[in-house]
Amino acid sequence: MGIIIKSDVEIAFMRQAGKIVAEVLKIVSEHIKPGMKTKELDIITGRELERLGARSSFKGYRGFPANLCVSVNDEIVHGIPGDRVLNDGDIVSLDFGAVYNNFQGDAAVTVTVGEVNPEARRLIETTRNTLEAGIAAACDGVTLGDVSAAIQNYAESRGYSVVREYTGHGIGREMHEDPQIPNFGSPGTGPVLKKGMTLAIEPMLNVGDWHTRVAGDNWTVLTADGSLSAHFEHTIAVNDKEAEVLTREVYA
Ligand code: MG
């Protein structure tokens, strides 16, 4: 398929989708409290999507049964909302994509439930900042490897591992477009970024090592060693200098 360069009009549509993703994630995050079931977050997401006239990118994707992914503690990504009860001290990764006027937005945020310990808090802050390091590296003329290396270096220099088997991706009319965006790599390698490329950058950081396993539900991805994991994601449009973050309000 190749990497698709978007026109200004297409990016304007993606800005609308991104705004919806940001707004829904903010609302869902604000509802999280100890004692609630993760499926309640799916219900809130469905309600907000209806209000905003958008639909979930995830529901029905390869049979995924919910509007968003909810991954708790050692769950990295692709958790299915259900009867699991959130406890004081948990960390919860919310990953959500929406389609509006045929264009997609995709973002993720890891939030706390009640009072969490300092180690978990540091993991979340570092993962958030790792995403920002990746975004800061993404501009016209750099290589994809420059972005991947910026992410890897930021995370690993602070003592965390980056998940290798799951990556970011191009995004536009489709949720997953070329290129894949690994969270590790070598500077100066891979395709050159151009203004108008739209990318979902999404580092996943583990306290332990980067190996993963998939749960019996065939969706939920966990750390193989049971260590905590956090996930942040934004959809961006590459520019001459600073990239435009299309899903920025997620944790404003
Ligand atoms: Mg994504």
Side-chain angles (χ1 to χ4, degrees):
M1 165 167 75
I3 306 175
I4 301 165
I5 308 282
K6 274 74 174 184
S7 67
D8 289 346
V9 171
E10 289 172 312
I11 288 173
F13 279 118
M14 291 188 67
R15 207 172 276 131
Q16 292 182 313
K19 193 160 182 273
I20 288 169
V21 170
E23 184 171 346
V24 173
L25 271 177
K26 184 165 187 288
I27 290 167
V28 173
S29 301
E30 287 168 355
H31 276 85
I32 287 185
K33 58 177 189 296
M36 80 189 301
K37 289 181 177 175
T38 57
K39 70 183 177 192
E40 294 176 61
L41 304 174
D42 186 49
I43 292 166
I44 295 164
T45 303
R47 187 185 70 206
E48 294 303 319
L49 279 169
E50 197 173 321
R51 179 176 67 82
L52 295 162
R55 67 179 173 82
S56 165
S57 309
F58 297 179
K59 195 164 194 168
Y61 180 81
R62 295 184 181 170
F64 189 79
N67 291 303
L68 82 170
C69 300
V70 180
S71 307
V72 183
N73 294 338
D74 61 335
E75 297 173 351
I76 302 168
V77 285
H78 304 165
I80 302 172
D83 288 323
R84 182 168 182 164
V85 174
L86 296 176
N87 293 311
D88 192 50
D90 285 344
I91 67 170
V92 184
S93 297
L94 307 170
D95 188 354
F96 174 60
V99 191
Y100 186 73
N101 282 331
N102 298 315
F103 283 90
Q104 307 258 347
D106 191 3
V109 60
T110 299
V111 299
T112 57
V113 184
E115 283 298 312
V116 308
N117 67 41
E119 290 76 16
R121 208 167 280 283
R122 178 175 177 269
L123 170 68
I124 291 172
E125 280 310 303
T126 306
T127 307
R128 183 199 304 261
N129 292 332
T130 300
L131 171 59
E132 294 301 336
I135 293 170
C139 66
D140 187 286
V142 308
T143 68
L144 193 60
D146 293 333
V147 176
S148 297
I151 291 168
Q152 180 178 17
N153 290 340
Y154 191 96
E156 291 185 351
S157 66
R158 285 157 181 82
Y160 297 111
S161 65
V162 288
V163 171
R164 299 186 172 216
E165 292 127 320
Y166 301 87
T167 68
H169 48 93
I171 181 169
R173 290 179 191 271
E174 302 297 328
M175 176 164 60
H176 294 140
E177 296 182 352
D178 284 342
Q180 284 198 356
I181 307 173
N183 293 306
F184 65 100
S186 302
T189 62
V192 175
L193 300 191
K194 298 278 180 229
K195 179 176 160 64
M197 288 180 180
T198 45
L199 309 173
I201 300 180
E202 49 177 322
M204 293 147 254
L205 270 60
N206 298 347
V207 169
D209 85 11
W210 55 265
H211 289 92
T212 67
R213 70 181 178 90
V214 178
D217 62 16
N218 287 324
W219 277 107
T220 313
V221 179
L222 302 101
T223 59
D225 61 9
S227 67
L228 278 187
S229 186
H231 179 207
F232 280 83
E233 174 179 22
H234 272 311
T235 298
I236 68 164
V238 175
N239 264 327
D240 290 326
K241 289 190 174 153
E242 202 172 311
E244 179 181 354
V245 180
L246 302 172
T247 46
R248 175 56 86 187
E249 282 80 5
V250 172
Y251 49 81

